Amino acid sequence: MTAKKIFDNDYANQWCPGCGNFGILNAMKTALADQDLSPEEILIISGIGQAAKTPHFLKCNMLHSLHGRALPIALGAKMANHDLKILVNTGDGDCYGEGGNHFIHAVRRNPDLTVLVHNNQVYGLTKGQASPTSMDGMETPLQPQGVISSPLNGPALALTMGAGFVARGFSGEPDHLAELISAAMEYKGFSVIDILQPCVSFNKLNTAAWYKERIKKENNPDPRDFDRAMKLAMTFGDTIPLGIYLNQPKPEFTSRIQTLQQGPLALRPYDPSPVQKLLADQQAV
Ligand SMILES: Cc1ncc(C[n+]2csc(CCOP(=O)(O)OP(=O)(O)O)c2C)c(N)n1
Ligand code: SF4
Ligand SMILES: [Mg+2]
């Protein structure tokens, strides 16, 4: 097994002490080591936010991109080199808000990407405004009378769009989360884990204690049973089940594109002459 410390780097970390992101980072390193991966085999793409800083603190290929845009960039990278193991670190705002449209369409295409949604139920980086997953009635500096919109349920949305691998984890259970991440990465297609993550500075409602009172580990006993998966995903209140809700094989995006069957585009010799001819022909018209 690869030693976990090969994924360490010395980039200065400014997350608040006690932030749930540390548990997620730790679980990621465990999962990568457990799978015997090395830094050059992995690419991590992130959007913008506290969650999106995660790949800075992990030694591997990475791109910290634009708010809400991690998924189209990850899909482009997958098309260019489908041999890479690609992970996406994204926040609840980044993935379900600004990037919500990209999320539903990425699910439909089913590319082999593993999406880790750091769901702290708030916009952490911009100091605590409500996010799409903030609970009804939660007071924030921008919503002093409480949130008046219903919270979005990411796993339920992913299931509705046809995602084949859907799970929920908790940053305070890093060993369990590492198992979920490994299982998600082993799935050949779009896999998403909604990870409950306390934001100690700005979410005073959904604290570590609040989550711990509610979570219970419960995989779907039949991981291909969609109805059971949806029931688990929709259970978010006094009880919150953590585990694999659905693990159902589906045809993967790049495996259905004929030209990619000759190997990753990035590793093939590049011949610009057909495009040069096309441009020259256009100029001649
Ligand atoms: C296009 C655009 N809109 C808004 C912002 C401001 N902004 C930066 S991060 C963020 C929200 C981040 O929330 P989330 O994705 O939940 O991440 P967290 O910080 O909570 O981990 C916003 C609104 C931006 N950078 N770019
Ligand atoms: S503001 Fe919240 S999400 Fe951001 S580092 Fe601090 S605790 Fe973590
Ligand atoms: Mg957030």
Side-chain angles (χ1 to χ4, degrees), residues 112-152:
D112 188 17
L113 304 172
T114 294
V115 181
L116 306 178
V117 187
H118 303 219
N119 184 4
N120 55 12
Q121 302 186 250
V122 77
Y123 287 172
L125 186 70
T126 48
K127 300 190 184 297
Q129 303 88 350
S131 82
T133 58
S134 298
M135 293 175 71
D136 197 343
M138 176 173 154
E139 292 175 18
T140 82
L142 201 64
Q143 289 86 12
Q145 266 126 47
V147 170
I148 54 170
S149 306
S150 306
L152 183 149

Side-chain angles (χ1 to χ4, degrees), residues 14-16 19-21 50 120 124-125 197-202:
Q14 292 179 338
W15 283 332
C16 310
C19 174
N21 282 325
Q50 296 285 17
N120 55 12
L125 186 70
Q197 175 238 317
C199 168
V200 293
S201 295
F202 296 113

Side-chain angles (χ1 to χ4, degrees), residues 10-28:
D10 52 11
Y11 198 86
N13 189 318
Q14 292 179 338
W15 283 332
C16 310
C19 174
N21 282 325
F22 288 105
I24 300 175
L25 178 63
N26 181 19
M28 287 174 73

